[in-house]
Amino acid sequence: MCAVSALVLTPVLFATACGSSEGATTALSGPATATTLTIATDKDSGPLNIFAGQTDQMTEMIYDKLLAPSPYVDDPQPWLATSVDQVSATTWEVKLRDDVTWHDGEAFTADDVVFSFHYMHSAPTGRFTHHVNDTPSISTVEATADGGVRFVCDYACPELGTVTLADLPVLPEHIWSSVDPAKAKEVTALPVGTGPYKLVEYSPTSGYRFEANADYFAGTPTVDEIVMPVIADSSATFTALRSGQIDATTRALTPELITEFENSADISVIKTSPLRYPELKLNFLEAPFSDAQFRTALNQSVDRDQLLEIVGLGQGRPATQGYVHPDAPYANPTESPYDVDGAKKILDGMGYVDKDGDGIRENAAGEKLAFTIHVDGGLSPDVRAAELLTEDFGKVGVETSVVAVDTGTLSDIATKKTYDMYITMNSPHAVADSTQFIMSHRSGNIWKSPSIAYPEFDALYDKWKLTETNEARLAVLDEIQDLYNRQPTTIGLYYPDEYFGVRSDTFGGWVETPGYGIVHKWSFLPREISASVNAIAPVR
């Protein structure tokens, strides 16, 4: 593993770092370049304002970061930076490339980096802002005399290089300095970045059109133009792929379509391991879900092998390793047991018994343990998962009923926390970013500290903050994962594999990078460039 205290990449030649690209994803048959690709996106994400939502795949085609490709690989490498050095427990110094320009021709400088981090600090809480406000807490960002940037944290920040600097996009000061941070979410102008593509057209009806950045510092993109129409309907998307109207899609194949496309003469299928999975969220603010023992009992009663086999059609792994995705760089491989008898004993010990013999337990007041599982009725795999969970919970004496709602209603229920349980899909940022795992305990996502007492976590959090090396910090993260997985507030269902269909006769440059599938800038840069920063996932 490369030393996180001295990440260096030659600014002219992007040589492979930390070993070669041997074992990386093998190339598909098909041309390595293309004039135009048409790639359907499954939703309208607006004009790609990074403060208005999570649109990582497309925004990363426009923006760059100091390190690449992301926090989701073991060894992200310098990108807009040429070197990233930890000089003390709380201080990092970064040297920058001097050959980078913004899409409008303005030069990229240290002032842009300093501005970006200060702006993130002032902007409303969102996808990126925790990286500068809390976890870690960056007290000072300043330009140095040699044109670099110095970061100083309020407490030790050994993962600043491999996580924060590999995740935050850098903004152009000359564009965003005129925007009040409080109104950052309202910006509708097309974004200006340093990335390999410029967004030149957007409309809610026709979607997106990107043009290659001919002056990109890392080399000429392999596709001149990328057109991304919005096709919200799944069946319409795959019909368009079959007919050749589109070359690829951001939407993964549904399990029942995989064999069909694998047998197609015109379409190639690419298997990926996404850093996301479906989960059952528990309302830990309300009894009895606020009781750690009750959550443990529910967790032990879930038959994850059955969920994978029936809902995921066996394509993936059962979610037995808890909240952190097992492919995340900091994952703790501890297994969560499937133990129906153990779950029953826990509930017995809590005083929940079936007094009238109808199979449903009651509390001390005689109220039955009866709850609802809300689910998006338009997602048939989630509905089926909820039905299987109802059977699992029924086996330990907990009655649940499935309530199917539309996407908007489910989002409203989740935001207001007016639910017992609901099924959702989490994100790579949630379950593969080590600092977000800490922040999720402090923000109300998987806990609500400090408004709800959780002394075991608080003690480990204090221990985590005192660590000064990446190794020591990861060791404490193992302890935090053990604690969380014993009494989770969200129950993983299965870790799916994902399969994407592409028309490789039009383009064969597709590669997987962890957390992003295949539609991302690393598929549209020369393969040796993507391999140089460990952006290409190995063949499994």
Side-chain angles (χ1 to χ4, degrees):
M1 180 179 292
C2 295
V4 298
S5 60
L7 298 172
V8 181
L9 192 62
T10 304
V12 177
L13 176 64
F14 283 80
T16 300
C18 296
S20 73
S21 60
E22 291 180 5
T25 304
T26 54
L28 297 171
S29 60
T33 62
T35 301
T36 300
L37 285 182
T38 302
I39 305 169
T41 180
D42 58 339
K43 64 179 180 179
D44 173 15
S45 298
L48 303 187
N49 178 349
I50 64 169
F51 295 100
Q54 292 191 33
T55 53
D56 289 5
Q57 284 173 290
M58 287 191 283
T59 56
E60 292 229 350
M61 293 167 65
I62 298 166
Y63 292 104
D64 285 311
K65 300 173 292 192
L66 294 176
L67 276 74
S70 72
Y72 312 143
V73 301
D74 284 323
D75 297 306
Q77 296 295 302
W79 193 245
L80 287 175
T82 58
S83 67
V84 180
D85 297 286
Q86 184 176 10
V87 297
S88 74
T90 58
T91 305
W92 290 74
E93 292 189 352
V94 176
K95 297 187 186 304
L96 301 173
R97 299 182 64 98
D98 59 7
D99 58 349
V100 180
T101 58
W102 296 97
H103 291 158
D104 58 6
E106 292 283 332
F108 161 77
T109 71
D111 290 339
D112 293 307
V113 178
V114 173
F115 169 80
S116 296
F117 279 77
H118 284 302
Y119 196 86
M120 294 285 185
H121 185 80
S122 301
T125 300
R127 159 70 176 82
F128 300 102
T129 54
H130 84 81
H131 278 303
V132 296
N133 290 334
D134 184 283
T135 315
S137 178
I138 302 175
S139 56
T140 304
V141 184
E142 58 187 3
T144 57
D146 60 358
V149 180
R150 180 181 295 111
F151 296 85
V152 181
C153 302
D154 291 317
Y155 58 88
C157 50
E159 71 281 86
L160 184 82
T162 54
V163 178
T164 301
L165 303 188
D167 191 59
L168 263 68
V170 178
L171 303 172
E173 181 182 20
H174 65 282
I175 299 291
W176 284 90
S177 59
S178 62
V179 179
D180 181 348
K183 298 181 179 179
K185 294 182 179 182
E186 301 172 16
V187 172
T188 58
L190 298 185
V192 173
T194 60
Y197 286 90
K198 304 175 184 179
L199 179 62
V200 294
E201 292 180 17
Y202 160 73
S203 82
T205 53
S206 61
Y208 304 82
R209 187 170 73 85
F210 298 84
E211 288 182 356
N213 177 5
D215 298 320
Y216 193 48
F217 68 88
T220 304
T222 55
V223 179
D224 298 335
E225 178 188 59
I226 298 174
V227 178
M228 299 187 72
V230 178
I231 307 179
D233 181 74
S234 176
S235 61
T237 298
F238 296 123
T239 296
L241 184 61
R242 289 187 190 94
S243 66
Q245 293 175 278
I246 61 175
D247 301 297
T249 171
T250 59
R251 189 189 298 274
L253 297 173
T254 55
E256 61 272 13
L257 288 178
I258 294 170
T259 301
E260 174 195 336
F261 281 101
E262 285 178 334
N263 293 332
S264 169
D266 303 315
I267 297 172
S268 296
V269 174
I270 303 172
K271 176 185 176 182
T272 71
S273 291
L275 294 171
R276 62 187 191 129
Y277 58 85
E279 61 183 353
L280 178 72
K281 286 209 175 259
L282 312 178
N283 191 346
F284 57 86
L285 299 177
E286 303 290 340
F289 304 99
S290 55
D291 192 309
Q293 293 184 82
F294 187 75
R295 299 195 305 272
T296 298
L298 292 184
N299 187 45
Q300 292 185 1
S301 67
V302 174
D303 186 346
R304 293 170 172 86
D305 288 321
Q306 178 178 255
L307 283 164
L308 173 64
E309 194 61 33
I310 294 177
V311 182
L313 300 186
Q315 296 157 0
R317 291 161 284 177
T320 57
Q321 288 181 222
Y323 183 76
V324 175
H325 194 284
D327 293 338
Y330 69 104
N332 178 344
T334 302
E335 294 278 333
S336 295
Y338 171 49
D339 185 358
V340 172
D341 289 338
K344 290 179 178 179
K345 289 179 181 178
I346 291 173
L347 295 172
D348 288 342
M350 295 180 70
Y352 295 129
V353 295
D354 176 15
K355 298 176 182 178
D356 58 11
D358 66 351
I360 309 301
R361 296 172 183 265
E362 295 91 31
N363 61 20
E367 300 167 326
K368 292 187 179 298
L369 295 186
F371 309 103
T372 58
I373 300 176
H374 281 89
V375 65
D376 186 334
L379 299 175
S380 56
D382 288 3
V383 174
R384 186 66 183 111
E387 293 169 345
L388 292 173
L389 288 168
T390 293
E391 295 174 10
D392 287 342
F393 296 146
K395 291 175 183 177
V396 299
V398 177
E399 182 179 52
T400 52
S401 56
V402 179
V403 178
V405 296
D406 60 73
T407 302
T409 300
L410 187 64
S411 177
D412 187 60
I413 289 169
T415 300
K416 296 178 179 176
K417 294 193 181 297
T418 54
Y419 60 87
D420 296 324
M421 297 174 271
Y422 78 97
I423 292 178
T424 187
M425 179 70 76
N426 59 28
S427 69
H429 181 59
V431 296
D433 178 326
S434 60
T435 57
Q436 178 58 42
F437 179 58
I438 294 295
M439 188 61 191
S440 289
H441 281 86
R442 298 171 51 75
S443 65
N445 182 16
I446 60 177
W447 196 252
K448 197 170 180 64
S449 177
S451 61
I452 303 176
Y454 195 175
E456 299 93 341
F457 171 77
D458 292 340
L460 287 174
Y461 175 64
D462 289 340
K463 182 179 179 181
W464 176 87
K465 288 180 68 176
L466 291 173
T467 57
E468 295 189 353
T469 68
N470 220 32
E471 291 74 17
R473 186 147 288 185
L474 290 173
V476 181
L477 276 172
D478 279 352
E479 295 184 66
I480 295 174
Q481 289 176 70
D482 284 337
L483 172 66
Y484 181 84
N485 290 339
R486 289 196 300 270
Q487 48 186 38
T489 57
T490 176
I491 297 173
L493 304 185
Y494 56 95
Y495 308 124
D497 292 329
E498 282 187 345
Y499 296 78
F500 292 88
V502 299
R503 301 200 60 104
S504 56
D505 57 330
T506 61
F507 182 66
W510 303 102
V511 297
E512 176 197 3
T513 198
Y516 291 90
I518 62 168
V519 180
H520 46 71
K521 68 184 177 190
W522 309 107
S523 283
F524 310 127
L525 290 174
R527 183 172 291 266
E528 64 272 16
I529 300 299
S530 299
S532 74
V533 290
N534 304 323
I536 302 177
V539 171
R540 285 166 301 279

